[in-house]
């Protein structure tokens, strides 16, 4: 194999491309990643929340146990390898937004699989944090957040040290498909996997897939009189970081999809954080960021091989829960490429063809 040859060439070093590169390298493959310096990465913007019971009804998807176990394993493996903590386990304070939501919680308690994740409900005057909770809430378990900038930074350094990173923007139209290999940016590989996040929309090979991009804005805040001990999740969520700052978000926009911060986004979030603690001095905004969540119509990922060009693959569509689900699906795709094991049907792009 020539020095610029590899088994798998990955486009994008967000969480998806990073996790896939790690799993393939662990399986003995020679991997190369092309990334343009996170120009459009939603991973560097994300709060990295891990929340197994998402949504207004606290729905537990059947795959949740598998996702959580794979995430626990991978973040622990990285912590062991790099000597850094990437996943911070923190209980999540869920604030009911209505009386009806309290009933959903009661119903979930009747389900043994969900019960292990749910604490008992509390009333408005027994909230464990000094926040407005007119309908009460409950504490959720097996939650926390991934320090995404730290994780992406460590894995980028790891790729550079192994001469596996090409820092450049790739125009997908310049990919050369040969009979025996695929080439891009001077690298020749057996296969190429697009982990290009929301830029899948401009990808000539996979842009017919039903990606549902969703813009989100997020703030970093500092408070002089409050450091929460929980992640707080009501209409918005707040994550207390080890540094003392808090991340607060996020907005959800399905129109005007770009990754620019806006005054409207900032106002929406500042008003929401004030509503959480109306009688206290407002927290200061120290940073505002925006990104695009690569969502899908059925909220499951887009993984698989191009129907006509078998050297081209896609690993994308992780929506608003990449931190939870990417470790599992990266392992599945690596196993599939290495050993031919079946891809999980719920994520296989063949469900759309
Ligand atoms: C405001 C906000 C908050 C969020 N909060 C959470 C959260 O709390 N928990 C959670 O799990 N998820 C959250 N998400 C979603 C999360 O960001 C995604 O699920 C996940 O990070 C997607 O990772 P990815 O690697 O697929 O895409 P990306 O992170 O977008 O990575 C794609 C990478 O590919 C590069 N790239 C693309 N095309 C090319 C090209 N042609 N050439 C070179 N490089 C290229 C990009 O620059 C980027 O670095 C949030 C998203 C937003 C916007």
């Amino acid at each position: 194999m020539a020095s610029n040859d590899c088994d798998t060439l990955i486009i994008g070093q967000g969480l998806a491309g990073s996790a896939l590169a790690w799993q393939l390298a662990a399986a003995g493959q020679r991997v190369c990643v092309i990334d343009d310096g996170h120009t459009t990465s939603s991973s560097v913007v994300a709060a990295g929340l891990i929340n197994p019971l998402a949504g207004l009804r606290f729905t537990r998807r059947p795959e949740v146990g598998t996702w959580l176990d794979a995430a626990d394993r991978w973040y622990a493996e990285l912590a062991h390898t790099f000597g850094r903590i990437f996943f911070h386990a923190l209980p999540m304070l869920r604030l009911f937004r209505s009386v009806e939501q309290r009933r959903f919680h009661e119903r979930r308690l009747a389900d043994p699989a969900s019960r292990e994740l749910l604490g008992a409900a509390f009333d408005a005057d027994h909230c464990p944090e000094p926040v407005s909770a007119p309908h009460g809430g409950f504490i959720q378990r097996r939650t926390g957040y991934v320090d995404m900038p730290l994780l992406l930074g460590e894995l980028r350094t790891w790729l550079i040290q192994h001469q596996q990173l090409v820092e450049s923007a790739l125009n997908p139209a310049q990919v050369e498909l040969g009979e025996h290999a695929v080439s891009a940016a001077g690298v020749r590989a057996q296969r190429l996997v697009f982990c290009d996040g929301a830029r899948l929309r401009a990808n000539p090979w996979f842009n017919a897939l039903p990606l549902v991009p969703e813009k989100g804005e997020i703030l970093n805040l500092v408070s002089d009189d409050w450091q929460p001990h929980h992640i707080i999740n009501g209409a918005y969520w707040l994550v207390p970081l080890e540094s003392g700052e808090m991340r607060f978000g996020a907005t959800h926009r399905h129109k005007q999809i770009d990754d620019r911060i806006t005054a409207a986004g900032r106002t929406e979030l500042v008003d929401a954080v004030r509503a959480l603690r109306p009688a206290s001095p407002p927290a200061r905004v120290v940073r505002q960021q925006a990104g695009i969540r690569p969502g899908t119509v059925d909220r499951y990922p887009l993984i698989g091989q191009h129907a006509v060009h078998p050297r081209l693959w896609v690993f994308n569509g992780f929506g608003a829960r990449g931190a939870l689900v990417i470790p599992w699906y990266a392992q599945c795709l690596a196993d599939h490429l290495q050993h031919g094991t079946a891809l999980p049907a719920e994520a296989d792009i063949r469900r759309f063809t």
Side-chain angles (χ1 to χ4, degrees):
M1 197 156 61
S3 64
N4 56 350
D5 279 6
C6 65
D7 298 304
T8 302
L9 175 59
I10 293 172
I11 311 301
Q13 195 246 328
L15 190 63
S18 300
L20 184 62
W22 181 269
Q23 295 295 353
L24 289 172
Q29 281 206 13
R30 189 166 148 74
V31 183
C32 182
V33 179
I34 299 179
D35 186 90
D36 59 3
H38 299 147
T39 313
T40 57
S41 175
S42 68
S43 302
V44 293
V45 173
L49 273 177
I50 291 203
N51 175 11
L53 298 181
L56 283 174
R57 291 168 189 247
F58 314 120
T59 309
R60 187 187 197 281
R61 297 255 179 164
E63 304 83 4
V64 149
T66 306
W67 293 340
L68 277 171
D69 290 345
D72 282 350
R73 268 197 310 274
W74 190 52
Y75 297 125
E77 183 187 341
L78 292 183
H80 180 74
T81 306
F82 294 104
R84 309 290 301 264
I85 304 291
F86 300 103
F87 173 66
H88 298 268
L90 262 187
M92 182 180 282
L93 177 60
R94 299 290 299 255
L95 302 177
F96 296 132
R97 292 155 69 174
S98 63
V99 178
E100 197 190 13
Q101 227 196 346
R102 201 177 175 114
R103 286 197 210 105
F104 291 137
H105 172 259
E106 274 164 29
R107 260 180 246 155
R108 285 280 159 242
L109 277 177
D111 164 31
S114 301
R115 203 180 304 140
E116 57 153 352
L117 304 172
L118 300 170
F122 57 77
D123 293 324
D125 45 359
H126 288 98
C127 184
E129 293 281 352
V131 294
S132 166
H135 300 289
F138 69 96
I139 304 276
Q140 196 182 308
R141 295 184 276 268
R142 288 200 79 179
T143 52
Y145 73 93
V146 176
D147 187 334
M148 300 282 254
L150 179 69
L151 188 150
L152 294 178
E154 289 287 343
L155 288 178
R156 199 168 185 91
T157 305
W158 168 75
L159 287 167
I160 291 168
Q161 281 168 350
H162 292 83
Q163 296 171 346
Q164 289 172 322
L165 185 76
V166 177
E167 299 190 89
S168 129
L170 176 85
N171 178 351
Q174 289 168 346
V175 170
E176 288 172 35
L177 280 167
E179 196 183 335
H180 303 293
V182 53
S183 305
V187 182
R188 216 174 104 94
Q190 291 303 304
R191 69 189 67 82
L192 181 152
V193 187
F194 286 104
C195 302
D196 45 358
R199 271 151 78 184
L200 192 74
R201 292 169 298 167
N203 182 317
W205 311 104
F206 290 105
N207 61 3
L209 288 172
L211 196 80
V212 182
E214 192 191 57
K215 177 173 180 173
E217 294 189 57
I218 180 170
L219 301 179
N220 276 33
L221 303 170
V222 173
S223 167
D224 293 329
D225 66 341
W226 183 41
Q227 181 60 21
H229 301 290
H230 305 84
I231 294 167
I232 298 175
N233 189 343
Y236 298 81
W237 40 253
L238 182 146
V239 184
L241 304 180
E242 299 256 297
S243 65
E245 287 188 11
M246 300 178 277
R247 302 205 82 196
F248 188 78
T251 62
H252 292 261
R253 297 274 187 278
H254 293 98
K255 290 184 183 154
Q256 289 179 321
I257 307 290
D258 57 44
D259 50 14
R260 284 193 291 273
I261 58 169
T262 64
R266 184 183 177 112
T267 305
E268 176 184 328
L269 295 174
V270 166
D271 289 351
V273 79
R274 269 202 203 113
L276 202 56
R277 300 185 72 218
S280 305
R284 290 190 309 283
V285 178
V286 293
R287 191 172 192 192
Q288 180 179 2
Q289 289 170 287
I292 305 175
R293 304 172 184 91
T296 59
V297 277
D298 60 1
R299 296 177 189 230
Y300 280 100
L302 300 169
I303 306 175
Q305 190 173 28
H306 195 277
V308 179
H309 303 289
R311 295 198 183 275
L312 298 182
W313 294 72
V314 64
F315 186 62
N316 207 320
F318 297 103
R321 54 175 180 218
L324 171 62
V325 305
I326 284 173
W328 167 245
Y329 290 110
Q331 195 184 314
C332 292
L333 181 55
D335 286 348
H336 178 74
L337 295 176
Q338 198 66 3
H339 307 296
T341 49
L343 285 175
E346 76 279 1
D348 192 324
I349 55 171
R350 284 180 298 179
R351 72 192 186 277
F352 295 115
T353 51

